[in-house]
Amino acid sequence: MWVTSMPQVWDEEGVAKGSVVTPAPATALLGSLAGWMSRAVEPPAPRPCGTEGGPPVTATRLRLRDGRHLAYCESGVPKEEARFKVVFSHGFTGSREDSVRASQEVAEELGVYMVGFDRAGYGESDPNPNRSVKSAALDVEELADALGLGPKFYVIGISLGCHAVWGALKYIPERIAGAAMMAPVVNYWWPGFPTDLAAEVYNKQEVGDQWALRVSHHAPSILHWWMEQSWLPTSTVVAGTTPLPNKRDAEIRKNMKADGSFQKKMDLATQQGIHESYYRDMMVMFGKWEFDPMSLPKPPCPVHIWQGDEDGLVPVVLQRYLVSRLSWANYHELPGTGHFLSAVPGLGDTVLKTIFG
């Protein structure tokens, strides 16, 4: 019988406390299973671009200090003419070619240069087996420095890619001129969330998503094995079957599946291996963070958050609570709007005008 209830809350001594974790029996089960499975099963080795047996290199890339390559894509006005320089962090299943989808006219009017990049393990950027929230922020910083974006630059993230923005606000705040997050994914285990609220929302997810997040948090070493078992409850987000309450979101996904672009996007994102892209994303986002975003001090730059009130992937009630704890965050809630904010007509222009206008 699957343990599907989320969470009685205990610390290591068995004393009830105020953070959301999986019930003790499920935690023990996952811990024991992880210990055995990590010795018995390892994820397949990644196939880095440009290596024997790996995909070809087709993108513009730069080499980082640790030897990894980052693939990137520039848009907006030429860097040398820009008033504002932005690094964009794509979401789950995304790529370097993603952006806020602002019009070229608005980008030129405001003087915005933007560079998107394949996050580590995605597309044509080399995998990073030590990927973390901190490493994501440092990749952003090193990309900006390699491209000569100056002592300060802007960061924009979307969906799960916003962990890099939170990381930037934590680890390199002095480099950030401004930050924006569009439908940022939350971690149910962030200590700042009230136990009962996080538990209530967590339990509204599909059972497979509850388990995928549980394993990501408590037993990441077996996540690849777990996700590949057809008889186990796994992520509906990866499968593209999550119930979406917003009509635009549902229609977009339906059309993408019908015309093959859903699968094509997945194939491109995971071409070096699904473990180092999708599954590593899940381990980083829903794992154990070194900090709670709700405990961050006021950063030395403006921060904006956009969230749809019909988001079927990021619970709006948790986003509302998060921003209630951050008096310095500028919150923009969009009525009748779902998760796929880059597809909302005109929103990309609104985001740029709000940040730079």
Side-chain angles (χ1 to χ4, degrees), residues 42-48 272-273 276:
E42 291 187 1
R47 302 182 305 116
Q272 299 180 89
E276 291 297 341

Side-chain angles (χ1 to χ4, degrees), residues 17 77 169 213:
K17 61 183 295 188
V77 303
L169 294 173
L213 268 58

